[in-house]
Amino acid sequence: MSLVSIDQSALPYMAELCFAGADCYLTTNSADLAEVLQQLSLSLEATDSTRFMMQVVVDETSTEQADNPHFRGLHHVVTASFGHTNVFVFDLLRRTLSANVSSEVAKDSRFWKEKLIPITLGILGSALGLIPVHSACLESEGDGLLIAGASGAGKSTLSVALSLAGFNYISDDWTYLSLRDGVIVAHGTSAPVKLLPDADQHFQALAECSPHISMNGELAYEVDIIETFGVAVECGCEPRWLIFLERVLPPGSEFSKLSSSEARDYLTSNIERLPSQLDKAARNRDQLIEAISALPCWTFRYGGTPQFASEQLVKFVADRRHEVSA
Amino acid sequence: MTTINKQPDLLHRFVSTPYVFGINCGSQRVDIQSNDLEVALGVRSLCIRRQREEQSTITRWKLIRDGSAPSDADGELIFGHGLIRTLHAGRGTILIYDQERSELLGFVAPNVSARKLVTSLIPTLIGSAPARSDLPAFTNK
């Protein structure tokens, strides 16, 4: 039997961090972990409504690697365990994450970047007024473009192609949306872009990279978009349009308008139902979903290369701006 | 309006708990919910025993027999930060004790008997907690 009890006086390392628009106050007993998380943190947004506490005890005697995760939740508490030592407890009422991890996991930057930070935002998000949406996000001249779609629809390759065409990159897979003074704001994390092996047919820069087995078992390129493609990255934007991506076989492209109720159904079907203990968070989340689904929504069906799809979207954005200015 | 029944329940929060007991322990009402009759009866007996022994009362219990949980038998870990304490027995059994809200919640793996749950795991978790008067104030912003 191991007994770990968090005593704040035994957690001397502190840091103010920011992940996807949520501010995080970290306390830990590990200088290594504080450094890893500071490297992954974006600039602070300083809004109390999206602040949470993270308390992490690192067991220096354990070298356990992160095992497959096991998640469960009841009422306001969610637990995630990645093996016997690596245990995370999320308290949605008190907006706190408490964790016990091995020294190996504390130093594993990839674990925090690709797993724990997105998981934390996904679980605590509803208590922080954030919604994770399965969409890419790009920005141009202050206008954000959300590109939603199922896995395999081509969000990541299109994100890279649009970034190479001059858009600023924010995220390629999960985007975190919140309301600030009535305005929708979208954020990404610093997670790498994940491209399937056939993406090397479209992007020469991948010739110098090798695909490897990613954390979900898929063979993929996982690359830093700035290092690999030299494109511009933004940490957040105000989305103007929501595009649902559908890949079809015949070459060509077509935009068709989508109703708010269809957009709402999509957004709702991708998020966890909340228990009655979190009624207030559920109401705030419903408000946010209403605001997002009120954005102009379109379905974009395309067949062809990511560069072709990117050209169509660049033209689409230019046309929408022209409509507004006219 | 949201289409609630389309939403996923990846965390198994909404497993139905048809075995429900409400008992009076002194002046307090205790609610027990489970999807496993043996667990619900075991917890009911535990509450009555604790009341006879004048031990502190937990007023809300929700325990799920988790058929899909891993049944590994790795050691036990009790993890706490004042207001919430959790007990992890293997990866599949997770008990959560929120002292301030006087709630005990959890998932019980198939390899853990109701007897072990009420005679060993729950008393260990509750017994490891500091006195309520030592807890920091609850802040639900």
Side-chain angles (χ1 to χ4, degrees), chain A residues 230-299:
Chain A
V231 299
V233 171
E234 280 287 334
C235 62
C237 71
E238 289 179 25
R240 304 277 183 232
W241 306 284
L242 175 56
I243 303 287
F244 290 86
L245 197 60
E246 280 184 26
R247 217 166 176 175
V248 292
L249 275 178
S253 69
E254 179 196 27
F255 287 91
S256 50
K257 276 213 161 187
L258 199 69
S259 70
S260 291
S261 62
E262 287 172 293
R264 190 189 306 117
D265 281 353
Y266 173 85
L267 295 167
T268 306
S269 67
N270 274 279
I271 53 173
E272 278 268 317
R273 187 177 158 193
L274 291 174
S276 59
Q277 289 76 17
L278 301 171
D279 265 353
K280 189 179 166 199
R283 281 196 304 274
N284 291 341
R285 195 172 71 173
D286 284 348
Q287 267 184 359
L288 180 51
I289 288 174
E290 280 301 318
I292 300 165
S293 42
L295 288 171
C297 301
W298 302 76
T299 298

Side-chain angles (χ1 to χ4, degrees), chain A residues 1-2 4 6 72 76 84 272, chain B residues 10 66 75-76 78 80 98:
Chain A
M1 167 81 67
S2 312
V4 178
I6 290 185
R72 287 294 183 266
H76 58 294
H84 177 61
E272 278 268 317
Chain B
L10 303 174
D66 189 351
E76 292 166 11
I78 293 184
D98 187 323

Side-chain angles (χ1 to χ4, degrees), chain A residues 1-6 55 57 67-79 81 83-85 87 89 91-96 98-100 264-265 268-275 277-278 285-286 290, chain B residues 1-4 6-14 62 64 66 68-70 74-81 83-88 90-92 94 96 98 100-101 103 105-107 124 128 138-141:
Chain A
M1 167 81 67
S2 312
L3 176 61
V4 178
S5 195
I6 290 185
Q55 310 170 109
V57 176
D67 201 347
N68 290 329
H70 177 65
F71 294 97
R72 287 294 183 266
L74 277 174
H75 294 193
H76 58 294
V77 184
V78 175
T79 65
S81 51
H84 177 61
T85 305
V87 169
V89 180
D91 179 344
L92 279 80
L93 281 180
R94 301 175 182 101
R95 300 197 304 205
T96 303
S98 305
N100 181 70
R264 190 189 306 117
D265 281 353
T268 306
S269 67
N270 274 279
I271 53 173
E272 278 268 317
R273 187 177 158 193
L274 291 174
Q277 289 76 17
L278 301 171
R285 195 172 71 173
D286 284 348
E290 280 301 318
Chain B
M1 297 296 289
T2 53
T3 49
I4 284 173
K6 283 187 189 170
Q7 291 177 284
D9 181 25
L10 303 174
L11 302 171
H12 296 222
R13 271 178 172 137
F14 296 96
K62 186 168 186 176
I64 307 295
D66 189 351
S68 58
D74 283 348
E76 292 166 11
L77 170 73
I78 293 184
F79 178 51
H81 61 99
L83 297 166
I84 290 188
R85 305 181 81 73
T86 54
L87 182 147
H88 302 254
R91 283 192 309 148
I94 303 152
I96 301 156
D98 187 323
E100 191 172 54
R101 293 170 60 86
E103 290 178 335
L105 316 165
F107 291 90
T124 302
S128 70
F138 171 44
T139 49
N140 180 13
K141 291 178 186 172

Side-chain angles (χ1 to χ4, degrees), chain A residues 140-217:
Chain A
S140 167
E141 297 175 32
D143 295 328
L145 180 63
L146 293 168
I147 303 174
S151 295
K155 295 187 296 295
S156 296
T157 48
L158 185 52
S159 300
V160 173
L162 279 167
S163 303
L164 290 167
F167 275 67
N168 294 316
Y169 172 89
I170 290 170
S171 64
D172 73 316
D173 195 25
W174 285 95
T175 302
Y176 300 88
L177 300 173
S178 54
L179 273 178
R180 296 272 167 85
D181 302 322
V183 175
I184 303 169
V185 182
H187 285 95
T189 62
S190 49
V193 178
K194 191 166 149 191
L195 299 163
L196 295 177
D198 65 356
D200 59 5
Q201 297 166 24
H202 308 295
F203 305 112
Q204 211 165 12
L206 291 175
E208 291 168 21
C209 310
S210 326
H212 61 267
I213 301 292
S214 61
M215 282 197 169
N216 71 354

